[in-house]
Amino acid sequence: MMDRKKELKQMYKEIPIEAGIYMITNTANQKKWVGSTRNLKSINGRKFSLEAGTDTNRALQEDWNLYGKDSFTFETLEILKKKEDDPYFNEKEALQALDEKWKEQIQPYGEKGYNKK
């Protein structure tokens, strides 16, 4: 049993850390939240903060409490393609540009979402 646990832990560590854009959708009212992260594995942390009732987005947290976790889906919209061969590549700026592109496309504001303009 211990070997399997160690093996799983090692496999998790070997998963490359990927930056990207993800979306949370409330399937009860179709409201969306779009955001970026430098580590897509951290989406689990977002789920945890919502389940704990400590998410920083009040409207999203209120709806999570109202509709329950089964009314929400989490999906990766795009993984940032890193340019290792480009010495001037700035991951933070590239991620910000992707974030703006997806928010422009989805418009998760006001009645349609939880993002603030």
Side-chain angles (χ1 to χ4, degrees):
M1 185 66 184
M2 262 323 263
D3 285 345
R4 181 72 181 135
K5 196 173 178 182
K6 276 184 183 174
E7 186 184 327
L8 289 170
K9 215 176 204 177
Q10 189 57 40
M11 283 169 55
Y12 180 78
K13 285 180 184 173
E14 289 172 7
I15 296 171
I17 292 174
E18 295 178 311
I21 307 301
Y22 70 103
M23 179 169 65
I24 302 171
T25 303
N26 180 338
T27 58
N29 63 15
Q30 298 311 308
K31 286 177 99 173
K32 298 173 185 323
W33 181 88
V34 175
S36 61
T37 179
R38 294 182 81 170
N39 181 355
L40 286 166
K41 285 194 230 176
S42 69
I43 292 173
N44 287 332
R46 188 70 191 256
K47 287 179 189 170
F48 182 81
S49 71
L50 284 161
E51 286 173 13
T54 59
D55 197 83
T56 54
N57 186 310
R58 276 214 189 104
L60 178 58
Q61 183 68 64
E62 285 171 11
D63 278 0
W64 181 276
N65 297 344
L66 179 66
Y67 296 105
K69 70 178 184 177
D70 293 335
S71 294
F72 290 83
T73 60
F74 290 72
E75 67 182 293
T76 300
L77 297 175
E78 187 170 349
I79 293 170
L80 179 67
K81 295 187 182 26
K82 296 182 180 169
K83 298 180 178 85
E84 268 95 28
D85 56 335
D86 180 358
Y88 302 105
F89 178 72
N90 182 320
E91 181 182 73
K92 196 173 179 185
E93 286 176 8
L95 197 56
Q96 182 65 41
L98 270 187
D99 189 62
E100 289 168 13
K101 176 190 93 167
W102 279 99
K103 284 178 181 162
E104 181 64 35
Q105 194 174 318
I106 294 169
Q107 293 291 312
Y109 309 107
E111 293 297 307
K112 289 171 65 181
Y114 301 105
N115 291 86
K116 295 193 177 9
K117 275 210 173 217

